[in-house]
Amino acid sequence: MNSEIFDIGLGNNDTATREDAGRDYVAFWEKQARSLAWFEGWSEVLSWKPPFARWFVGGRINASYNALDVHQKDPERAAILWEGENGQRRKITYGQLFCDVQKFSNALKSSGVKKGDRVTIYLPMVPELIVAILSCARIGAIHTVIFSGFSASSIRDRVVDSNSKVVITADGGYRRGSIVKLKETVDAALEGLDFVQNVIVLRRTGNEITLGKRDVLWDDFVKNHPASCDAEPLPSEHPLYILYTSGTTGKPKGVLHDTGGYLTHIGSTFRWAFDIKDSDVYFCTADIGWVTGHSYVAYGPLICGATMVLYEGAPDYPSQSRMWDILQRYKVTIFYTTPTALRMFMKFGDSIPNSFDLSSIRLLGTVGEPINPEVWRWYYTVIGKGRCPIIDTWWQTETGGMMISPLPGLETIPLKPGSAALPIPGVDIAVVSEDGTELPPDTKGYLVIRKPWPGMLLTLWGDDEKYKSVYWSKYPGYYYTGDYAIKDKDGYFWLLGRADDILKVAGHRIGTAELESSIVSHHSISESAVCGVPDDVKGEVIIAFLVPKDGVAVTDGLRKEVIEHIRHDIGPIATPHQIYFVSKLPKTRSGKIMRRLLKAIASNEKIGDVSTLEDGAAVNEVQSAFDELKKQIK
Ligand code: PRX
């Protein structure tokens, strides 16, 4: 693979940790778990009844306790340096956060929320989102955060699936200067759902809202509640949260994470990856609606007592320099963002970041999609000035925390632009062929995880069978990641994108099946097939091939209607970049849509080696489908 190597690190050289992990991964993770505060120790480190793992069985712990109570020796220490999109600023100390969380926890309790109940959170990136999460964790309620860009029907599906008792939202949120009316969306989502007992509404934008019988304003909800609420000692395997994510089937799946194993994984990787020190100012740009925000905005930094910047809005609003302005003002030392954001910043030109003082930065990270080597080099030279290691962290909603990444807090290893480097200690990751045998170096194959790890999902909410079939049936005994990868001769991993029907648009996961079923719910469309094509900012964009119902005229109006329908049904992140209307979709004789052919056409590629293009289709069949489709496209 790429022979270009950057010998840069922070000078840490702890070889013992990796050696420890290599000897006995269970004992290794047990040692890491001891860095957390436990109410009771465990009787068994790992109960592994494939494919169900339970970590630290018998142990009792609380995530909110580990994020707050343990840091009260220094209550004045800043936990969150928050900046609103509208320029508003707030500093929230560990003492203040502790107080706010206890009040809110008491309020939740007195509204009838009990251990194990589900609470849906649909808020913009404001400190109250963290208060809500930590309050649920404190009393043992299971939070399910929904990204505030999702539509009413997406919220409804998730609230119904999780059977949430309470929904927490805001009047509105700022997005690129305008107000997104969140409460209105929640009202539409919850219509007729009587099992939702309360909707708590934070005042953020001050837009007009209607308060119904079950609605209560945040300030009224917490008023008169004492700022003292002991954290519930919960079993280690108690579910901390459900996070819905797109899969290869129609509906999003509820990934369920535990408490003790998850916190062990997040705490360890946060320290190893970011080398966090008391003097650091950490800034992760992820929204808490996604897993990066859960693990490395909400839980990781707080359980490590870090000071973080939290930013509410769009990275390029009101100007293209917004990010660098934030980095300069707060003297950010660790910056963790996405390749999509970096590609956008790079397009804006070097003179923008060059006009800011970014000398405080000492470590850079990326997550969520493959990073192109040229973007890596730009990040390294223009932002890091050749001084800062870049950690390219590979992981998934399901893995809970980082699985492959350079770990400058632990060791100094050479970096290769475009590679996420080595697996973290204590995990066993391999690249295998279709039949499950490990492939020799430099060969493309499927990425699998061969042993349980502490951050792994417990199951899919309410669906153990789906959990087994999605992750554990392709390679019995191995967790199937759904990613293609290559391991090079030095043991470095190169991630090559999804091998399944999941798209990654600007780093967001979108299931093709989910999107297709949304499209055909439009009254004018009879069939649809979507695919992703490369894009130089978003990594991948969506192209949709649609078959209109008989008698429906293909017009620009129809195109607009379909787009509006998708935005309304799923949310703006699923908007296709291009829609092609066709009279029929190319299918194999067995009725399977020829997806790779669609991708080839959408990318304007030649058909190439058609014999390998589609499973189970004859060469001439694919070729004629290709020719026919090209003629039809409107
Ligand atoms: O395809 C991989 C890609 O993102 C997928 C997981 O998506 P999600 O659950 O939304 O979590 C994203 C944040 C952790 C993976 O299966 N992916 C994630 N990180 C990387 C990546 N692809 C390449 N390089 C990465 N560093």
mmCIF file of all heavy atoms in Angstrom, residues 104 107-113 118-120 159 164-169 183 186 190 193-201 212-217 221:
data_model
loop_
_atom_site.group_PDB
_atom_site.id
_atom_site.type_symbol
_atom_site.label_atom_id
_atom_site.label_comp_id
_atom_site.label_asym_id
_atom_site.label_seq_id
_atom_site.Cartn_x
_atom_site.Cartn_y
_atom_site.Cartn_z
ATOM 1 N N PHE A 104 -32.743 17.817 37.346
ATOM 2 C CA PHE A 104 -33.514 17.237 36.247
ATOM 3 C C PHE A 104 -33.834 15.765 36.536
ATOM 4 O O PHE A 104 -34.924 15.279 36.220
ATOM 5 C CB PHE A 104 -32.752 17.390 34.924
ATOM 6 C CG PHE A 104 -33.630 17.269 33.720
ATOM 7 C CD1 PHE A 104 -34.414 18.333 33.294
ATOM 8 C CD2 PHE A 104 -33.706 16.086 33.003
ATOM 9 C CE1 PHE A 104 -35.256 18.221 32.193
ATOM 10 C CE2 PHE A 104 -34.542 15.959 31.900
ATOM 11 C CZ PHE A 104 -35.317 17.030 31.494
ATOM 12 N N ALA A 107 -36.733 15.679 38.793
ATOM 13 C CA ALA A 107 -37.952 16.024 38.056
ATOM 14 C C ALA A 107 -38.440 14.825 37.230
ATOM 15 O O ALA A 107 -39.635 14.523 37.195
ATOM 16 C CB ALA A 107 -37.681 17.225 37.155
ATOM 17 N N LEU A 108 -37.498 14.140 36.606
ATOM 18 C CA LEU A 108 -37.885 12.950 35.822
ATOM 19 C C LEU A 108 -38.544 11.909 36.726
ATOM 20 O O LEU A 108 -39.582 11.343 36.404
ATOM 21 C CB LEU A 108 -36.652 12.319 35.158
ATOM 22 C CG LEU A 108 -36.118 12.954 33.880
ATOM 23 C CD1 LEU A 108 -34.849 12.238 33.422
ATOM 24 C CD2 LEU A 108 -37.159 12.908 32.744
ATOM 25 N N LYS A 109 -37.903 11.704 37.872
ATOM 26 C CA LYS A 109 -38.439 10.707 38.810
ATOM 27 C C LYS A 109 -39.858 11.080 39.233
ATOM 28 O O LYS A 109 -40.748 10.241 39.243
ATOM 29 C CB LYS A 109 -37.564 10.665 40.065
ATOM 30 C CG LYS A 109 -36.415 9.691 39.990
ATOM 31 C CD LYS A 109 -35.914 9.538 41.410
ATOM 32 C CE LYS A 109 -34.570 8.952 41.541
ATOM 33 N NZ LYS A 109 -34.022 9.067 42.877
ATOM 34 N N SER A 110 -40.038 12.354 39.577
ATOM 35 C CA SER A 110 -41.365 12.694 40.088
ATOM 36 C C SER A 110 -42.418 12.733 38.975
ATOM 37 O O SER A 110 -43.606 12.680 39.251
ATOM 38 C CB SER A 110 -41.355 13.963 40.932
ATOM 39 O OG SER A 110 -40.924 14.998 40.137
ATOM 40 N N SER A 111 -41.965 12.753 37.726
ATOM 41 C CA SER A 111 -42.967 12.648 36.653
ATOM 42 C C SER A 111 -43.284 11.184 36.345
ATOM 43 O O SER A 111 -44.037 10.891 35.410
ATOM 44 C CB SER A 111 -42.484 13.373 35.402
ATOM 45 O OG SER A 111 -41.504 12.597 34.755
ATOM 46 N N GLY A 112 -42.677 10.285 37.104
ATOM 47 C CA GLY A 112 -43.032 8.865 36.955
ATOM 48 C C GLY A 112 -42.053 8.044 36.135
ATOM 49 O O GLY A 112 -42.297 6.877 35.860
ATOM 50 N N VAL A 113 -40.910 8.647 35.724
ATOM 51 C CA VAL A 113 -39.937 7.870 34.946
ATOM 52 C C VAL A 113 -39.150 6.960 35.893
ATOM 53 O O VAL A 113 -38.607 7.422 36.902
ATOM 54 C CB VAL A 113 -38.972 8.800 34.168
ATOM 55 C CG1 VAL A 113 -37.927 7.991 33.419
ATOM 56 C CG2 VAL A 113 -39.750 9.684 33.205
ATOM 57 N N ARG A 118 -37.970 4.211 28.822
ATOM 58 C CA ARG A 118 -37.272 4.890 27.724
ATOM 59 C C ARG A 118 -37.684 6.353 27.626
ATOM 60 O O ARG A 118 -38.864 6.688 27.807
ATOM 61 C CB ARG A 118 -37.545 4.200 26.382
ATOM 62 C CG ARG A 118 -36.612 3.051 26.113
ATOM 63 C CD ARG A 118 -36.975 1.807 26.873
ATOM 64 N NE ARG A 118 -38.322 1.377 26.565
ATOM 65 C CZ ARG A 118 -39.088 0.660 27.371
ATOM 66 N NH1 ARG A 118 -38.649 0.293 28.568
ATOM 67 N NH2 ARG A 118 -40.312 0.314 27.018
ATOM 68 N N VAL A 119 -36.687 7.178 27.338
ATOM 69 C CA VAL A 119 -36.914 8.617 27.188
ATOM 70 C C VAL A 119 -36.316 9.041 25.848
ATOM 71 O O VAL A 119 -35.124 8.818 25.601
ATOM 72 C CB VAL A 119 -36.231 9.391 28.343
ATOM 73 C CG1 VAL A 119 -36.289 10.882 28.100
ATOM 74 C CG2 VAL A 119 -36.841 9.025 29.685
ATOM 75 N N THR A 120 -37.143 9.616 24.974
ATOM 76 C CA THR A 120 -36.635 10.086 23.679
ATOM 77 C C THR A 120 -36.195 11.540 23.806
ATOM 78 O O THR A 120 -36.898 12.361 24.411
ATOM 79 C CB THR A 120 -37.733 9.954 22.598
ATOM 80 O OG1 THR A 120 -37.921 8.565 22.335
ATOM 81 C CG2 THR A 120 -37.344 10.645 21.303
ATOM 82 N N VAL A 159 -40.060 6.531 18.565
ATOM 83 C CA VAL A 159 -40.800 6.637 19.827
ATOM 84 C C VAL A 159 -41.683 5.398 20.012
ATOM 85 O O VAL A 159 -41.767 4.824 21.097
ATOM 86 C CB VAL A 159 -41.639 7.936 19.870
ATOM 87 C CG1 VAL A 159 -42.599 7.945 21.046
ATOM 88 C CG2 VAL A 159 -40.723 9.152 19.941
ATOM 89 N N SER A 164 -41.391 5.031 24.280
ATOM 90 C CA SER A 164 -40.889 6.059 25.206
ATOM 91 C C SER A 164 -42.013 6.682 26.018
ATOM 92 O O SER A 164 -43.069 7.015 25.490
ATOM 93 C CB SER A 164 -40.167 7.163 24.425
ATOM 94 O OG SER A 164 -38.946 6.692 23.952
ATOM 95 N N LYS A 165 -41.722 6.866 27.296
ATOM 96 C CA LYS A 165 -42.714 7.451 28.200
ATOM 97 C C LYS A 165 -42.674 8.978 28.128
ATOM 98 O O LYS A 165 -43.679 9.655 28.326
ATOM 99 C CB LYS A 165 -42.318 7.011 29.606
ATOM 100 C CG LYS A 165 -43.449 6.906 30.585
ATOM 101 C CD LYS A 165 -42.883 6.403 31.912
ATOM 102 C CE LYS A 165 -43.865 5.548 32.662
ATOM 103 N NZ LYS A 165 -43.272 4.994 33.879
ATOM 104 N N VAL A 166 -41.475 9.488 27.904
ATOM 105 C CA VAL A 166 -41.269 10.931 27.910
ATOM 106 C C VAL A 166 -40.481 11.326 26.666
ATOM 107 O O VAL A 166 -39.615 10.572 26.209
ATOM 108 C CB VAL A 166 -40.501 11.342 29.201
ATOM 109 C CG1 VAL A 166 -39.940 12.741 29.101
ATOM 110 C CG2 VAL A 166 -41.403 11.215 30.423
ATOM 111 N N VAL A 167 -40.794 12.493 26.119
ATOM 112 C CA VAL A 167 -40.009 13.047 25.009
ATOM 113 C C VAL A 167 -39.499 14.422 25.449
ATOM 114 O O VAL A 167 -40.258 15.218 26.012
ATOM 115 C CB VAL A 167 -40.863 13.172 23.726
ATOM 116 C CG1 VAL A 167 -40.083 13.849 22.606
ATOM 117 C CG2 VAL A 167 -41.351 11.792 23.267
ATOM 118 N N ILE A 168 -38.214 14.659 25.220
ATOM 119 C CA ILE A 168 -37.630 15.954 25.590
ATOM 120 C C ILE A 168 -37.232 16.683 24.310
ATOM 121 O O ILE A 168 -36.513 16.132 23.480
ATOM 122 C CB ILE A 168 -36.387 15.757 26.498
ATOM 123 C CG1 ILE A 168 -36.763 14.892 27.713
ATOM 124 C CG2 ILE A 168 -35.802 17.102 26.921
ATOM 125 C CD1 ILE A 168 -35.574 14.495 28.581
ATOM 126 N N THR A 169 -37.729 17.905 24.161
ATOM 127 C CA THR A 169 -37.412 18.650 22.942
ATOM 128 C C THR A 169 -37.238 20.142 23.258
ATOM 129 O O THR A 169 -37.169 20.520 24.438
ATOM 130 C CB THR A 169 -38.499 18.406 21.858
ATOM 131 O OG1 THR A 169 -38.058 18.990 20.637
ATOM 132 C CG2 THR A 169 -39.852 18.994 22.245
ATOM 133 N N LYS A 183 -40.467 21.684 18.169
ATOM 134 C CA LYS A 183 -41.668 21.295 18.915
ATOM 135 C C LYS A 183 -42.814 20.953 17.944
ATOM 136 O O LYS A 183 -43.547 19.983 18.142
ATOM 137 C CB LYS A 183 -42.061 22.425 19.876
ATOM 138 C CG LYS A 183 -43.420 22.267 20.562
ATOM 139 C CD LYS A 183 -43.450 21.075 21.521
ATOM 140 C CE LYS A 183 -44.620 21.066 22.473
ATOM 141 N NZ LYS A 183 -45.936 21.014 21.884
ATOM 142 N N VAL A 186 -42.274 17.562 16.679
ATOM 143 C CA VAL A 186 -42.604 16.564 17.706
ATOM 144 C C VAL A 186 -44.127 16.426 17.834
ATOM 145 O O VAL A 186 -44.651 15.314 17.955
ATOM 146 C CB VAL A 186 -41.943 16.931 19.063
ATOM 147 C CG1 VAL A 186 -42.516 16.116 20.209
ATOM 148 C CG2 VAL A 186 -40.437 16.731 18.970
ATOM 149 N N LEU A 190 -46.038 12.846 17.440
ATOM 150 C CA LEU A 190 -46.664 12.153 18.579
ATOM 151 C C LEU A 190 -48.184 12.109 18.510
ATOM 152 O O LEU A 190 -48.822 11.602 19.440
ATOM 153 C CB LEU A 190 -46.246 12.819 19.901
ATOM 154 C CG LEU A 190 -44.748 12.890 20.197
ATOM 155 C CD1 LEU A 190 -44.515 13.419 21.602
ATOM 156 C CD2 LEU A 190 -44.083 11.534 20.033
ATOM 157 N N LEU A 193 -50.305 9.247 19.972
ATOM 158 C CA LEU A 193 -49.496 8.301 20.757
ATOM 159 C C LEU A 193 -49.720 8.578 22.249
ATOM 160 O O LEU A 193 -48.971 9.319 22.881
ATOM 161 C CB LEU A 193 -48.002 8.420 20.422
ATOM 162 C CG LEU A 193 -47.598 8.155 18.970
ATOM 163 C CD1 LEU A 193 -46.084 8.196 18.817
ATOM 164 C CD2 LEU A 193 -48.128 6.799 18.488
ATOM 165 N N ASP A 194 -50.744 7.954 22.794
ATOM 166 C CA ASP A 194 -51.146 8.292 24.165
ATOM 167 C C ASP A 194 -50.214 7.753 25.232
ATOM 168 O O ASP A 194 -50.269 8.184 26.377
ATOM 169 C CB ASP A 194 -52.580 7.788 24.419
ATOM 170 C CG ASP A 194 -53.558 8.508 23.514
ATOM 171 O OD1 ASP A 194 -53.234 9.646 23.112
ATOM 172 O OD2 ASP A 194 -54.604 7.916 23.175
ATOM 173 N N PHE A 195 -49.366 6.795 24.860
ATOM 174 C CA PHE A 195 -48.452 6.243 25.877
ATOM 175 C C PHE A 195 -47.356 7.241 26.253
ATOM 176 O O PHE A 195 -46.681 7.065 27.258
ATOM 177 C CB PHE A 195 -47.848 4.911 25.405
ATOM 178 C CG PHE A 195 -47.057 5.004 24.130
ATOM 179 C CD1 PHE A 195 -45.727 5.401 24.137
ATOM 180 C CD2 PHE A 195 -47.657 4.719 22.899
ATOM 181 C CE1 PHE A 195 -45.000 5.499 22.960
ATOM 182 C CE2 PHE A 195 -46.939 4.817 21.716
ATOM 183 C CZ PHE A 195 -45.610 5.208 21.746
ATOM 184 N N VAL A 196 -47.169 8.290 25.457
ATOM 185 C CA VAL A 196 -46.192 9.322 25.835
ATOM 186 C C VAL A 196 -46.851 10.209 26.896
ATOM 187 O O VAL A 196 -47.836 10.890 26.625
ATOM 188 C CB VAL A 196 -45.756 10.169 24.615
ATOM 189 C CG1 VAL A 196 -44.799 11.279 25.039
ATOM 190 C CG2 VAL A 196 -45.109 9.287 23.562
ATOM 191 N N GLN A 197 -46.291 10.166 28.110
ATOM 192 C CA GLN A 197 -46.968 10.867 29.208
ATOM 193 C C GLN A 197 -46.616 12.347 29.293
ATOM 194 O O GLN A 197 -47.426 13.158 29.699
ATOM 195 C CB GLN A 197 -46.641 10.164 30.528
ATOM 196 C CG GLN A 197 -47.242 8.774 30.561
ATOM 197 C CD GLN A 197 -46.815 7.978 31.768
ATOM 198 O OE1 GLN A 197 -46.144 8.476 32.669
ATOM 199 N NE2 GLN A 197 -47.201 6.718 31.790
ATOM 200 N N ASN A 198 -45.362 12.662 28.983
ATOM 201 C CA ASN A 198 -44.937 14.060 29.072
ATOM 202 C C ASN A 198 -44.044 14.449 27.907
ATOM 203 O O ASN A 198 -43.227 13.638 27.460
ATOM 204 C CB ASN A 198 -44.111 14.302 30.349
ATOM 205 C CG ASN A 198 -44.986 14.579 31.546
ATOM 206 O OD1 ASN A 198 -44.852 13.945 32.569
ATOM 207 N ND2 ASN A 198 -45.910 15.531 31.439
ATOM 208 N N VAL A 199 -44.199 15.687 27.463
ATOM 209 C CA VAL A 199 -43.241 16.259 26.510
ATOM 210 C C VAL A 199 -42.633 17.469 27.212
ATOM 211 O O VAL A 199 -43.360 18.392 27.606
ATOM 212 C CB VAL A 199 -43.927 16.674 25.188
ATOM 213 C CG1 VAL A 199 -42.925 17.305 24.231
ATOM 214 C CG2 VAL A 199 -44.599 15.472 24.535
ATOM 215 N N ILE A 200 -41.335 17.425 27.412
ATOM 216 C CA ILE A 200 -40.661 18.525 28.113
ATOM 217 C C ILE A 200 -40.041 19.431 27.052
ATOM 218 O O ILE A 200 -39.331 18.948 26.161
ATOM 219 C CB ILE A 200 -39.590 17.968 29.066
ATOM 220 C CG1 ILE A 200 -40.281 17.050 30.079
ATOM 221 C CG2 ILE A 200 -38.825 19.080 29.772
ATOM 222 C CD1 ILE A 200 -39.407 15.970 30.592
ATOM 223 N N VAL A 201 -40.325 20.718 27.151
ATOM 224 C CA VAL A 201 -39.926 21.636 26.079
ATOM 225 C C VAL A 201 -38.965 22.706 26.602
ATOM 226 O O VAL A 201 -39.337 23.533 27.435
ATOM 227 C CB VAL A 201 -41.159 22.332 25.463
ATOM 228 C CG1 VAL A 201 -40.768 23.092 24.204
ATOM 229 C CG2 VAL A 201 -42.259 21.326 25.161
ATOM 230 N N GLY A 212 -49.716 21.549 24.803
ATOM 231 C CA GLY A 212 -50.872 20.692 25.046
ATOM 232 C C GLY A 212 -50.891 20.208 26.487
ATOM 233 O O GLY A 212 -50.050 20.609 27.300
ATOM 234 N N LYS A 213 -51.822 19.309 26.778
ATOM 235 C CA LYS A 213 -52.024 18.841 28.158
ATOM 236 C C LYS A 213 -50.795 18.169 28.764
ATOM 237 O O LYS A 213 -50.483 18.339 29.924
ATOM 238 C CB LYS A 213 -53.192 17.831 28.182
ATOM 239 C CG LYS A 213 -54.552 18.485 28.421
ATOM 240 C CD LYS A 213 -55.502 17.552 29.153
ATOM 241 C CE LYS A 213 -55.903 16.304 28.407
ATOM 242 N NZ LYS A 213 -56.807 16.356 27.306
ATOM 243 N N ARG A 214 -50.096 17.390 27.945
ATOM 244 C CA ARG A 214 -48.953 16.652 28.498
ATOM 245 C C ARG A 214 -47.639 17.424 28.368
ATOM 246 O O ARG A 214 -46.582 16.933 28.765
ATOM 247 C CB ARG A 214 -48.838 15.291 27.820
ATOM 248 C CG ARG A 214 -48.572 15.391 26.333
ATOM 249 C CD ARG A 214 -48.549 14.031 25.663
ATOM 250 N NE ARG A 214 -48.626 14.189 24.224
ATOM 251 C CZ ARG A 214 -48.764 13.191 23.375
ATOM 252 N NH1 ARG A 214 -48.844 11.955 23.817
ATOM 253 N NH2 ARG A 214 -48.825 13.413 22.080
ATOM 254 N N ASP A 215 -47.693 18.619 27.778
ATOM 255 C CA ASP A 215 -46.463 19.390 27.548
ATOM 256 C C ASP A 215 -46.108 20.252 28.752
ATOM 257 O O ASP A 215 -46.985 20.867 29.367
ATOM 258 C CB ASP A 215 -46.636 20.320 26.340
ATOM 259 C CG ASP A 215 -47.017 19.556 25.074
ATOM 260 O OD1 ASP A 215 -46.836 18.323 25.067
ATOM 261 O OD2 ASP A 215 -47.489 20.194 24.123
ATOM 262 N N VAL A 216 -44.827 20.307 29.070
ATOM 263 C CA VAL A 216 -44.388 21.161 30.171
ATOM 264 C C VAL A 216 -43.054 21.821 29.802
ATOM 265 O O VAL A 216 -42.173 21.172 29.218
ATOM 266 C CB VAL A 216 -44.326 20.362 31.521
ATOM 267 C CG1 VAL A 216 -43.700 19.012 31.346
ATOM 268 C CG2 VAL A 216 -43.610 21.120 32.613
ATOM 269 N N LEU A 217 -42.937 23.093 30.113
ATOM 270 C CA LEU A 217 -41.685 23.799 29.801
ATOM 271 C C LEU A 217 -40.577 23.302 30.732
ATOM 272 O O LEU A 217 -40.821 23.022 31.907
ATOM 273 C CB LEU A 217 -41.871 25.305 29.974
ATOM 274 C CG LEU A 217 -42.753 25.992 28.932
ATOM 275 C CD1 LEU A 217 -42.930 27.481 29.261
ATOM 276 C CD2 LEU A 217 -42.162 25.831 27.526
ATOM 277 N N PHE A 221 -40.591 22.337 34.682
ATOM 278 C CA PHE A 221 -40.384 20.918 35.003
ATOM 279 C C PHE A 221 -39.372 20.752 36.148
ATOM 280 O O PHE A 221 -39.558 19.928 37.037
ATOM 281 C CB PHE A 221 -39.896 20.203 33.735
ATOM 282 C CG PHE A 221 -39.785 18.708 33.847
ATOM 283 C CD1 PHE A 221 -40.913 17.915 34.026
ATOM 284 C CD2 PHE A 221 -38.544 18.071 33.749
ATOM 285 C CE1 PHE A 221 -40.815 16.528 34.112
ATOM 286 C CE2 PHE A 221 -38.431 16.696 33.824
ATOM 287 C CZ PHE A 221 -39.572 15.926 34.009
#
